[in-house]
């Protein structure tokens, strides 16, 4: 069962990497896709902040390796408040 | 439609690759309001073939301008521009502009946007630490460099250059600890920006936008994380406001500036409905809430003084309207400010089309302003070239809605602009025509109207009474009812009040009218027929009348009588019974009397569907 946070993240990532949502999963890794470069990482960062109305740590976000890592960052941020 | 849904639809359109209707796209674009959403939309638009006017826009800067290009494409698409973009690399602005044969020169832009940040000032600090003297020196050096680069570039290229003033970073001001020096620093910095704003006097093709004025409502202009990680000095929220100006500048260069402002009257130039509330009953004054409309009119007058042609496109009787121009103290606009006035009951799309041909102006030069989504949708579907401004529900936002996109902006104003009004007035004459249009029927069909006619219950009494008290235009006899009268009539055996509500694809209009019927064994008498002006011109009244007549027939009635009693404001309905199969009987006391004898079949209005009532008994 996929959560709504997971679904939203997949939508954002798919849009920015210009791929189909079906290609993505929680374990999908940064190095699997050349499009996941520093510019697109930044675009993900701003899109996700806007989408979830949260403020994330840039440093942590830059160290993300999988989609699951992004989900965890948002969930941690949500629980803090 | 939410922003998310609009973006999803837009994405679907990019997959079609063909037959994308420009108007459908524009409609979606207007649903997208966040900077992130607009940037996404701009990116998607690259994949949609556009038949708009081609324009080339280049972006260069001293910092990362990522996002500005796509948001500009978004804004430009709203203006029927098909934009090609060039984005220069980080801090390449001076090299690209100075170097002959650069990629920028090869691109040959119509407009070159050059976004600079404080780095072009601070680079001149060198090893010196911060001091007011060093700042003063660095500001001078930066200005000299900008001047030099722009002079070389404009000598070589026929392009308009857009810059903006550079805001002083908050923490560089905070880091100065004494107030005397803070003021000096602020003054020096402002002097620098003033010099930028003065560049156009020596370099004619340069336009400098005022950063501080434009971003005053922007929530976050800077994000330190983006600055440190990606050298982005300003946020996408800043690009959002700049892109509107860039689109206006490009539109102006390409001759797409709008010249005509076509205005609705009721709920637009004043609050309320003049036909119902009267000249002195509408909201228009120097105190709240009338001051919102007063202020809106003042802004319109300023546009008019700069050469924008004003016209009225209103569904109204001119006789009800005209006195407001002479007898209302707070009416800012006067009759002579308008080159053309259409006050009639024709579809507004026809009035606008006629106006454009009579004034010999392109439909694409018209901006149409109306509070009513029905009228706006009608005009945008029938006349896609016309720019339709989606006015907010709240009249305090009308000025924002009218001005925010800069539809009327030009490079310079000329004497010609100011003389335009007189010129067009000679061409135009007010006309009050009544015509039918086949295309309107198609449109009405698309509205998916659903009518519900029901016998009035106690819950409906307040609304029925309100309609009775307030409606002047579609009111056959102006026989006003109080709440207790409505209650008595609806409980009586020998008479009924039928209410009707109308839904369409824009939503539920609620109860929009009623028919008061007195019932005898073989004869029904329509005491009154009342309908709100919100649903005029859709033949709702004919369909309601047909349902009443059918119901009468099923109960063994052989004749139905209707009266028309003229008042000052109900001229609109003088032919109502005649136009709907009734025969003239005689002139009563200040009235005309009509009868329906079930000889002629009355046709169903094809674009109105019927629904069973949820609360009342269906007729």
């Amino acid at each position: 069962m996929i959560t709504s946070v997971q679904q939203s993240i997949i939508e954002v990532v798919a849009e920015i990497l210009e791929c189909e949502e079906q290609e993505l999963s929680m374990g999908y890794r940064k190095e699997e896709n050349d499009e996941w470069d520093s510019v697109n990482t930044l675009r993900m960062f701003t899109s996700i902040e806007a989408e979830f109305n949260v403020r994330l740590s840039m440093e942590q976000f830059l160290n993300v390796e999988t989609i699951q890592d992004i989900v965890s960052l948002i969930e941690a941020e949500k629980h803090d408040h | 439609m939410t922003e998310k849904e609009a973006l999803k639809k837009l994405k679907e359109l990019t997959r079609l690759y063909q037959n994308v209707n420009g108007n459908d796209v524009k409609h979606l674009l207007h649903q997208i309001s966040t900077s992130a959403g607009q940037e996404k939309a701009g990116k998607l638009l690259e994949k949609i073939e556009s038949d708009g006017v081609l324009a080339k826009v280049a972006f260069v800067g001293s910092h990362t301008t990522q996002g500005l290009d796509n948001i500009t494409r978004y804004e430009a698409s709203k203006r029927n521009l098909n934009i090609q973009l060039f984005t220069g690399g980080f801090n390449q602005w001076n090299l690209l502009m100075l170097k002959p044969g650069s990629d920028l020169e090869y691109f040959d832009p119509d407009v070159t946007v050059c976004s600079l940040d404080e780095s072009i000032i601070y680079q001149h600090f060198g090893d010196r630490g911060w001091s007011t003297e060093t700042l003063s020196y660095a500001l001078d050096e930066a200005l000299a460099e900008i001047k030099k680069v722009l002079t070389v570039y404009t000598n070589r290229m026929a392009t308009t250059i857009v810059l903006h003033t550079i805001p002083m970073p908050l923490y560089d001001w905070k880091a100065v600890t004494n107030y005397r020096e803070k003021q000096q620093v602020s003054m020096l910095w402002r002097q620098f920006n003033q010099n930028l704003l003065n560049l156009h006097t020596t370099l004619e093709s340069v336009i400098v936008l005022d950063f501080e004025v434009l971003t005053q409502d922007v929530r976050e202009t800077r994000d330190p994380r983006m600055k440190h990680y990606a050298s982005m000095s300003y946020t996408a929220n800043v690009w959002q406001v700049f892109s509107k100006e860039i689109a206006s500048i490009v539109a102006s260069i390409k001759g797409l500036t709008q010249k005509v402002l076509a205005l609705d009257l009721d709920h637009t130039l004043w609050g309320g409905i003049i036909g119902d509330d009267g000249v002195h009953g509408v909201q228009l004054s120097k105190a709240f809430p009338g001051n919102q409309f007063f202020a809106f009119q003042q802004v319109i007058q300023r546009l008019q003084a700069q050469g924008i042609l004003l016209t009225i496109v209103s569904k109204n009787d001119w006789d009800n309207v005209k006195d407001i121009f002479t007898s209302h103290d707070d009416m800012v606009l006067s009759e002579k400010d308008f080159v053309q006035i259409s006050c009639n009951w024709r579809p507004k799309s026809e009035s606008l089309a006629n106006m454009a041909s009579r004034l010999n102006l392109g439909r694409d030069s018209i901006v149409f302003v109306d509070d009513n989504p029905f009228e706006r949708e009608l005009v945008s579907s029938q006349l896609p070239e016309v720019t339709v401004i989606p006015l907010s529900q709240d009249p305090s936002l009308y000025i924002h809605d009218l001005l925010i996109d800069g539809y009327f902006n030009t490079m310079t104003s000329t004497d010609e602009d100011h003389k335009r009004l007189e010129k067009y007035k000679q061409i135009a004459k007010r006309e009050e025509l009544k015509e039918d249009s086949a295309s309107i029927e198609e449109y009405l069909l698309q509205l998916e109207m659903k009518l519900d006619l029901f016998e009035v219950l106690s819950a409906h009494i307040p609304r029925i009474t309100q309609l009775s008290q307030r409606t002047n235009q579609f009111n056959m006899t102006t026989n006003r009812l109080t709440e207790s009268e409505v209650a008595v009539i609806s409980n009586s055996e020998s008479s009924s009040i039928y209410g009707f509500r109308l839904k369409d694809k824009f939503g539920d209009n609620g109860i929009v009218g009623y028919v008061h019927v007195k019932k005898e064994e073989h004869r029904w008498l329509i005491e009154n027929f009342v309908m709100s002006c919100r649903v005029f011109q859709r033949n709702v009244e004919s369909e309601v009348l047909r349902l009443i007549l059918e119901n009468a027939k099923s109960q063994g009635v052989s004749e139905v009588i209707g009266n028309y009693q003229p008042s000052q404001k109900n001229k609109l309905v003088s032919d109502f019974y005649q136009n709907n199969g009734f025969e003239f009987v005689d002139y009563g006391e200040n009235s005309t009397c009509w009868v329906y004898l079930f000889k002629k079949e009355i046709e169903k209005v094809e674009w109105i569907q019927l629904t069973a009532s949820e609360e009342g008994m269906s007729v």
Side-chain angles (χ1 to χ4, degrees):
Chain A
M1 195 33 205
I2 191 157
T3 67
S4 68
V5 173
Q6 288 173 336
Q7 179 55 33
S8 304
I9 297 289
I10 282 185
E11 279 173 26
V12 171
V13 174
E15 191 170 316
I16 289 169
L17 300 182
E18 294 184 7
C19 62
E20 297 300 323
E21 288 170 27
Q22 292 87 322
E23 295 172 35
L24 303 175
S25 63
M26 282 305 109
Y28 192 84
R29 302 182 70 79
K30 204 174 180 171
E31 59 257 31
E32 289 178 55
N33 194 325
D34 290 341
E35 287 290 312
W36 196 332
D37 57 10
S38 61
V39 173
N40 278 336
T41 300
L42 201 63
R43 296 182 59 221
M44 277 180 212
F45 181 76
T46 48
S47 292
I48 288 167
E49 280 202 337
E51 171 102 22
F52 292 92
N53 196 20
V54 289
R55 227 177 139 80
L56 302 172
S57 151
M58 171 81 84
E59 205 182 341
Q60 282 175 1
F61 197 87
L62 294 177
N63 291 326
V64 157
E65 280 171 18
T66 63
I67 293 184
Q68 179 57 50
D69 290 348
I70 303 179
V71 173
S72 305
L73 276 181
I74 289 157
E75 276 167 354
E77 187 61 31
K78 280 179 138 184
H79 291 148
D80 284 351
H81 298 290
Chain B
M1 197 191 307
T2 65
E3 171 166 322
K4 239 179 158 174
E5 287 162 354
L7 281 164
K8 210 166 175 184
K9 280 237 168 92
L10 198 62
K11 195 166 183 181
E12 283 164 19
L13 289 179
T14 63
R15 294 190 171 127
L16 292 175
Y17 296 109
Q18 52 175 352
N19 292 334
V20 177
N21 179 325
N23 220 36
D24 290 349
V25 173
K26 251 205 264 179
H27 183 75
L28 293 175
L29 297 184
H30 280 285
Q31 317 299 319
I32 300 167
S33 58
T34 68
S35 55
Q38 291 176 354
E39 195 186 332
K40 276 180 206 160
K43 197 153 185 268
L44 289 169
L45 283 166
E46 191 181 0
K47 295 180 194 147
I48 296 178
E49 254 185 64
S50 158
D51 53 3
V53 176
L54 193 73
K56 291 192 280 185
V57 184
F59 297 90
V60 295
S62 63
H63 60 118
T64 309
T65 58
Q66 192 205 309
L68 177 57
D69 44 5
N70 280 322
I71 294 192
T72 299
R73 195 203 317 273
Y74 162 85
E75 283 297 338
S77 298
K78 282 181 15 192
R79 309 282 302 255
N80 291 326
L81 286 162
N82 179 13
I83 293 274
Q84 278 181 17
L85 299 172
F86 170 93
T87 306
F90 164 71
N91 205 12
Q92 298 284 301
W93 69 284
N94 40 11
L95 294 176
L96 284 167
M97 288 169 111
L98 286 170
K99 201 171 128 199
S102 70
D103 292 350
L104 176 63
E105 185 173 327
Y106 182 72
F107 178 69
D108 191 21
D110 297 301
V111 172
T112 309
V113 180
C114 178
S115 178
L116 304 176
D117 71 337
E118 60 277 8
S119 67
I120 63 145
I121 296 159
Y122 292 153
Q123 64 179 344
H124 297 289
F125 271 49
D127 294 335
R128 284 160 285 198
W130 175 283
S131 73
T132 306
E133 291 71 37
T134 313
L135 177 66
S136 174
Y137 163 80
L139 287 166
D140 288 346
E141 288 293 303
L143 184 69
E145 184 187 13
I146 293 170
K147 273 187 182 163
K148 189 183 84 190
V149 173
L150 292 184
T151 306
V152 169
Y153 188 60
T154 52
N155 282 340
R156 205 172 64 236
M157 307 276 290
T159 176
T160 298
I161 303 164
V162 181
L163 274 75
H164 56 76
T165 58
I166 302 171
M168 177 168 187
L170 175 63
Y171 299 105
D172 287 329
W173 187 88
K174 290 271 186 189
V176 177
T177 54
N178 79 80
Y179 279 98
R180 198 164 289 276
E181 204 181 329
K182 277 182 198 283
Q183 294 170 77
Q184 279 177 316
V185 163
S186 286
M187 216 178 69
L188 287 168
W189 202 289
R190 267 160 212 270
Q191 203 88 59
F192 168 81
N193 279 331
Q194 271 189 34
N195 289 329
L196 287 184
L197 288 165
N198 206 31
L199 282 174
H200 73 96
T201 56
T202 47
L203 296 164
E204 263 185 28
S205 53
V206 173
I207 296 171
V208 179
L209 302 172
D210 191 325
F211 191 104
E212 275 136 329
V213 171
L214 283 171
T215 60
Q216 62 188 293
D217 289 333
V218 172
R219 204 162 52 92
E220 234 178 353
T221 59
R222 297 180 189 268
D223 182 337
R225 298 168 307 167
M226 294 299 158
K227 172 82 179 164
H228 290 125
Y229 172 67
S231 291
M232 280 175 73
S233 277
Y234 314 121
T235 62
N237 297 344
V238 171
W239 300 151
Q240 195 177 22
V241 295
F242 280 172
S243 61
K244 286 185 191 295
E245 302 302 325
I246 296 166
S248 281
I249 289 166
V250 178
S252 166
I253 288 170
K254 292 291 174 185
L256 298 182
T257 299
Q258 268 81 356
K259 298 183 189 73
V260 185
L261 177 55
L263 296 154
D264 169 49
L265 295 176
D266 291 330
H267 287 303
T268 300
L269 290 192
W270 51 73
I273 299 159
I274 198 156
D276 292 338
D277 302 326
V279 166
H280 295 286
V282 295
Q283 292 176 350
L284 180 64
S285 64
K286 294 190 182 68
F288 188 82
N291 56 358
Q292 301 171 99
F293 297 96
F294 183 78
F296 188 49
Q297 287 200 21
Q298 284 183 314
V299 164
I300 292 167
Q301 196 180 44
R302 281 181 61 183
L303 294 178
Q304 194 258 348
Q306 294 174 83
I308 311 305
L309 301 173
L310 305 183
T311 71
I312 291 172
V313 184
S314 165
K315 283 186 177 168
N316 251 315
D317 275 330
W318 178 243
D319 287 344
N320 292 343
V321 172
K322 65 176 194 287
D323 291 343
I324 199 164
F325 290 105
T326 48
S327 67
H328 197 298
D329 288 346
D330 295 315
M331 188 70 192
V332 179
L333 298 164
S334 61
E335 199 183 328
K336 65 174 170 42
D337 292 333
F338 296 92
V339 286
Q340 218 261 330
I341 295 175
S342 287
C343 266
N344 54 46
W345 299 94
R346 275 185 306 163
K348 293 192 176 186
S349 50
E350 275 183 36
S351 298
L352 283 168
N354 284 344
M355 179 200 82
S357 63
R358 211 172 302 134
L359 295 177
N360 201 15
L361 282 164
R363 290 172 183 178
D364 57 1
S365 66
I366 302 172
V367 173
F368 173 60
V369 174
D370 197 311
D371 66 293
N372 185 335
F374 172 86
E375 303 293 356
R376 296 201 298 257
E377 180 71 15
L378 174 81
V379 170
S380 34
S381 73
Q382 301 291 300
L383 305 173
E385 312 92 323
V386 171
T387 300
V388 178
I389 292 193
L391 224 45
S392 305
Q393 298 245 311
D394 179 353
S396 69
L397 298 172
Y398 282 3
I399 292 174
H400 167 94
D401 299 335
L402 176 62
L403 297 179
I404 192 70
D405 284 312
Y407 287 120
F408 303 108
N409 291 0
T410 57
M411 293 298 126
T412 51
S413 86
T414 61
D415 286 347
E416 172 66 14
D417 291 332
H418 299 288
K419 286 184 193 142
R420 205 182 277 145
L421 173 67
E422 286 313 312
K423 185 178 127 199
Y424 280 99
K425 260 186 156 169
Q426 288 164 6
I427 303 173
K429 271 186 186 160
R430 184 183 314 129
E431 279 184 38
E432 289 158 70
L433 299 169
K434 198 174 182 192
E435 288 166 13
D436 283 314
S437 149
S439 59
I440 285 303
E441 289 170 12
E442 270 169 46
Y443 172 72
L444 289 168
L445 208 52
Q446 288 163 17
L447 272 177
E448 298 159 18
M449 285 184 263
K450 293 189 181 72
L451 176 70
D452 171 22
L453 184 73
F454 53 88
E455 274 201 69
V456 164
L457 301 174
S458 55
H460 307 132
I461 291 173
R463 174 59 183 158
I464 297 293
T465 310
Q466 188 187 38
L467 282 165
S468 176
Q469 296 289 335
R470 291 206 46 185
T471 309
N472 291 320
Q473 301 185 82
F474 201 117
N475 193 331
M476 295 304 296
T477 59
T478 326
N479 173 20
R480 315 263 189 214
L481 301 174
T482 62
E483 284 206 13
S484 55
E485 282 168 329
V486 175
V488 169
I489 295 163
S490 51
N491 283 325
S492 144
E493 287 284 313
S494 62
S495 57
S496 290
I497 293 180
Y498 297 103
F500 54 100
R501 63 168 76 236
L502 187 76
K503 287 183 191 168
D504 57 36
K505 72 176 201 185
F506 302 112
D508 191 346
N509 294 287
I511 300 177
V512 291
Y514 71 88
V515 187
H516 173 190
V517 183
K518 200 166 140 192
K519 297 173 173 174
E520 293 164 13
E521 203 179 342
H522 296 293
R523 195 168 80 151
W524 279 15
L525 179 68
I526 300 176
E527 293 272 357
N528 202 4
F529 193 132
V530 169
M531 194 176 80
S532 158
C533 62
R534 281 153 69 186
V535 296
F536 282 7
Q537 302 302 307
R538 307 189 196 186
N539 292 41
V540 175
E541 61 277 22
S542 299
E543 186 62 8
V544 170
L545 187 61
R546 189 185 69 83
L547 292 171
I548 300 277
L549 294 174
E550 260 188 13
N551 190 27
K553 194 179 173 185
S554 73
Q555 295 190 24
V557 169
S558 57
E559 61 177 50
V560 176
I561 310 281
N563 283 312
Y564 166 66
Q565 211 168 311
S567 72
Q568 280 198 326
K569 289 173 177 170
N570 71 354
K571 206 166 34 181
L572 171 76
V573 292
S574 57
D575 295 335
F576 174 57
Y577 288 123
Q578 188 180 9
N579 291 342
N580 285 282
F582 280 61
E583 292 164 37
F584 177 71
V585 183
D586 66 19
Y587 292 99
E589 217 179 302
N590 298 324
S591 68
T592 49
C593 181
W594 307 81
V595 65
Y596 182 74
L597 296 166
F598 296 94
K599 286 191 280 191
K600 259 194 290 191
E601 191 77 18
I602 295 200
E603 265 181 59
K604 171 153 188 8
V605 179
E606 63 169 330
W607 51 81
I608 299 175
Q609 304 163 41
L610 306 178
T611 55
S613 175
E614 287 155 22
E615 28 195 327
M617 180 192 83
S618 259
V619 177

